[in-house]
Amino acid sequence: MILKKMTTLALTGMMLASYAGKAQVRPNIVFILADDLGYGDLGAYGQTKIKTPNIDRLAKQGMRFTRFYAGTSVCAPSRSCLLTGQHSGHTYIRGNKEIEPEGQQPLPDTAQSYAQLLQKAGYTTGAFGKWGLGMVGTTGAPDRKGFDVFFGYNCQRQSHRYYPTHLWSNNEKVALTGNDLTEKKVYAPALIQEKTLAFIEANKNKPFFLFVPTTLPHAELQGPDDEYYKQYENSFEEHPYKGADYGPGAQPGGYASVAKPRATYAAMVSRMDAYVGQILDKLDALGLTGNTIVIFSSDNGAHREGGADPVFFNSSGGLRGYKRDLYEGGIKTPFIVKWPGKIKPNSTSDFTGAFWDLMPTLTDIAGAPKPAYTDGISFLPTLLGKGKQPQHQYLYWEFHEGGGRQALRMGNWKGVKLNVIKDKNAPLELYDLSKDPKEQHNVAAAHMDIVRQMNSYIKSEHIESDVFPLTGK
């Protein structure tokens, strides 16, 4: 199976080399990754209560994908899949494993990111937002995984607070004056956005890769009492949320109380949308839009933490599940790509892809060195509307919380296994997404041939990890 994937990758790379050669010299790449934004939280994907005009504009100017998936259903492993080009049965980070006093289990030296490959191709690289794949000084730190510049939260536990005591600028700890978990002075997303726009300005005359893993709209539900909040302040019936407030004894990992959680969540989504608009406007102002690819997505499905109410907002877009589920609502993500002159505006794609496809696609686009290994396939033919697009035989996911879960999509079939830590032979639920996109009707008993085939693929795709054990195989 691995040999087959590598052969397909090599052939795809040769086929697509001519496309990349015809592009303007080394286009800039901007990848904006929302945190816990649901498939249905954007106007372009059916949201009616929250305003997202800038991301909706991005969709109209580019291509909107309807069958694209995150790496898995929580933060760190999904981002590991994204950066390493490996699905969650192969990538090193497969769960949110905390390291004290700050940080998470680091990516090892052996894990290759596509940012490293873009660096080798001559790109200046920057990441602004939340990392969570290795603390400063470890093998998984941003500067060890391909980023020349990093500013933001290194630790995802620290990022639970929007008024943190500190952020990180490369390897330097930056204290935020006035933020001591009793007072709230510096709103971290606003400061990170300033640094993001400054990176674009500083690198306008050379090719750059800008990764923006924003914390918005992840819980906690917090933000300034400004125009983003005021537009929703009295729009919804509210149910206050009681959390772990700022004040004496407050801890970095808490979620504060919020009087109007629905208004606050909507404001955070609209703030994120406004920040996307500022990035687009900066590219316009510097004359970079014509030679810049802009990608927008989310790391997993909508969350239910800190008072968030995804049912009210239909954040999963009518799909079953939320963050931590391997049903569609937990892993299906909005995915939008804009590339002026290359991608047909206001287009829609039903290509079935996932985060591990970014590795081969972006290295193809940049003319960067090919990855040593990837589970992905390049979807550059889909973006350009040229050539034959290779297709996945199937997509595989696993998740290490909630008893252990595995899932596989094969064509229109979707299989989900629960509680696999206790029982590696747990029954597989089977859904026909063409008839049952909400995964309401388990038809496994009527299609045991499909169940056996999917179980075989699930077994072959899971390589057991000593750090994140799942099935004991």
Side-chain angles (χ1 to χ4, degrees), residues 104-157:
Q104 283 72 44
Q105 180 74 26
L107 285 167
D109 274 332
T110 54
Q112 182 183 64
S113 82
Y114 60 74
Q116 291 172 290
L117 299 176
L118 293 176
Q119 271 186 329
K120 291 180 180 179
Y123 278 72
T124 299
T125 57
F128 298 84
K130 183 173 82 172
W131 183 245
L133 295 172
M135 186 53 189
V136 167
T138 71
T139 56
D143 63 332
R144 297 284 294 274
K145 287 295 163 232
F147 290 99
D148 300 306
V149 179
F150 171 78
F151 187 87
Y153 299 90
N154 181 285
C155 171
Q156 62 189 26
R157 184 173 65 254

Side-chain angles (χ1 to χ4, degrees), residues 174-225:
V174 179
L176 302 184
T177 303
N179 288 10
D180 59 3
L181 296 183
T182 62
E183 297 292 331
K184 298 187 294 184
K185 298 294 185 183
V186 181
Y187 190 60
L191 179 58
I192 294 169
Q193 177 71 355
E194 290 179 15
K195 302 295 185 181
T196 302
L197 299 176
F199 176 86
I200 299 174
E201 181 78 41
N203 294 283
K204 60 187 176 185
N205 295 320
K206 50 190 173 183
F208 62 81
F209 168 53
L210 170 60
F211 182 41
V212 188
T214 177
T215 54
L216 296 165
H218 173 64
E220 64 184 349
L221 302 183
Q222 290 286 297
D225 185 14

Side-chain angles (χ1 to χ4, degrees), residues 439-456:
E439 297 169 292
Q440 298 296 306
H441 307 288
N442 179 5
V443 295
H447 299 279
M448 291 307 298
D449 55 333
I450 301 296
V451 169
R452 284 189 291 270
Q453 186 176 25
M454 296 184 86
N455 272 325
S456 175

Side-chain angles (χ1 to χ4, degrees), residues 305-324:
E305 299 161 338
D309 189 352
V311 174
F312 176 77
F313 288 110
N314 192 27
S315 292
S316 295
L319 302 173
R320 179 180 180 179
Y322 304 97
K323 178 181 179 180
R324 294 185 173 84

